[in-house]
Amino acid sequence: MMTLSLNLPRLIGHRGAAAYAPENTLASLHEARRRGAPWVEFDVKLSRDDVPILMHDASLKRTTGSDRLVAETSWADIQVLDAGSWKGAAFVGEAVPSFAAAIDCLGGLGLGANVEIKPCPGREAQTALAVVEMLQHRWPASLPTPLLSSFKDEALAAARAAAPSFPRAILIDELADDWRQRAEAVDAVGVNTNGGKLTAARAAEIKAAGYLLSVYTINDPAVAVALLALGVDCIITDAPDVTAKAIAS
Ligand code: G3P
Ligand code: MG
């Protein structure tokens, strides 16, 4: 297992602070900061012309109203879309941020990040390479080392090959017995998983093996407290203020 120091906090804002602002936007990063998140998680994929952007879905439809696929749309066409109105009148005109703009925003806010590499189908390695290249050139030295994660092991393998020093976490909805094999294959330091499906036995196994354990998406304060009691290191939440209050006591 690689040993580069990773200062993972106990709490990470999900897609920024998705309970309060349009997910994966700069407004959401600001909201996360305002509500006490030390780090944020967000999703990065590539536009048709290979610009890394913050976006969860393969389609632009849900968050921008545009019925097109991200992988088939140029950055010029994406950056003029409104990614805020769906979340309410206060966010009309909020843009889809480039990964570069998001990094600059994090630098200004002093926020760390779990960068989820979320490739469009078939673009696993390409997306990972764009992410690590951007981090190498733009990640502020003042910020803690970011954590890379992905549901796609192929993306993590490509990230490792290109930039082995960025710590990685496997990202798995429901863990199976092969989790350790998958973690070792990409030299991961962490396991990120669906907190609603994590068993006490699996949490104990992961911690005994020396991995950092993070869970998403936990918005119920009592559930967050219970997961920490199982040995979970980090709670990824849409509502960082609520979760921070619950886990502080
Ligand atoms: O990275 C944790 C979590 O964001 C993974 O699921 O679908 O919200 O990206 P998703
Ligand atoms: Mg995500």
Side-chain angles (χ1 to χ4, degrees), residues 93-104:
E94 191 66 32
V96 175
S98 65
F99 183 33
I103 291 174
D104 293 351

Side-chain angles (χ1 to χ4, degrees), residues 14-15 23-24 41-43 55-57 114-118 149-151 171-173 192-194 214-217 236 238:
H14 186 236
R15 306 182 194 174
E23 64 185 53
N24 289 324
E41 181 268 3
F42 49 79
D43 310 291
M55 181 63 58
H56 180 275
D57 299 358
N114 169 197
V115 179
E116 184 188 335
I117 305 167
K118 183 82 98 183
S149 61
S150 185
F151 285 112
L171 179 53
I172 298 174
D173 178 52
N192 291 12
T193 191
N194 184 335
S214 303
V215 291
Y216 64 88
T217 305
I236 303 174
D238 292 324

Side-chain angles (χ1 to χ4, degrees), residues 39-231:
W39 282 36
V40 285
E41 181 268 3
F42 49 79
D43 310 291
V44 178
K45 50 176 23 85
L46 298 178
S47 67
R48 185 184 70 200
D49 47 347
D50 298 331
V51 176
I53 64 167
L54 271 57
M55 181 63 58
H56 180 275
D57 299 358
S59 165
L60 294 159
K61 179 78 174 166
R62 180 175 59 87
T63 57
T64 73
S66 171
D67 199 5
R68 302 177 67 182
L69 294 176
V70 177
E72 294 175 0
T73 311
S74 69
W75 169 234
D77 287 344
I78 292 173
Q79 64 180 327
V80 296
L81 297 173
D82 176 351
S85 332
W86 71 282
K87 195 72 180 176
F91 300 106
V92 171
E94 191 66 32
V96 175
S98 65
F99 183 33
I103 291 174
D104 293 351
C105 181
L106 297 178
L109 295 171
L111 277 176
N114 169 197
V115 179
E116 184 188 335
I117 305 167
K118 183 82 98 183
C120 294
R123 308 189 82 188
E124 290 78 10
Q126 199 181 345
T127 307
L129 295 181
V131 165
V132 298
E133 190 177 319
M134 184 68 73
L135 288 172
Q136 285 167 330
H137 290 107
R138 211 168 181 112
W139 188 253
S142 58
L143 293 181
T145 304
L147 175 66
L148 302 178
S149 61
S150 185
F151 285 112
K152 301 295 181 185
D153 296 355
E154 188 185 340
L156 294 175
R160 177 196 182 190
S165 66
F166 288 118
R168 294 165 296 282
I170 53 168
L171 179 53
I172 298 174
D173 178 52
E174 185 159 15
L175 295 163
D177 288 339
D178 67 351
W179 73 266
R180 190 162 183 173
Q181 189 187 329
R182 290 176 64 178
E184 287 175 354
V186 297
D187 199 16
V189 298
V191 176
N192 291 12
T193 191
N194 184 335
K197 298 179 182 174
L198 179 67
T199 63
R202 192 70 79 185
E205 186 187 339
I206 291 165
K207 290 312 299 170
Y211 288 86
L212 289 164
L213 177 57
S214 303
V215 291
Y216 64 88
T217 305
I218 307 302
N219 297 328
D220 180 330
V223 174
V225 170
L227 284 162
L228 289 175
L230 293 185

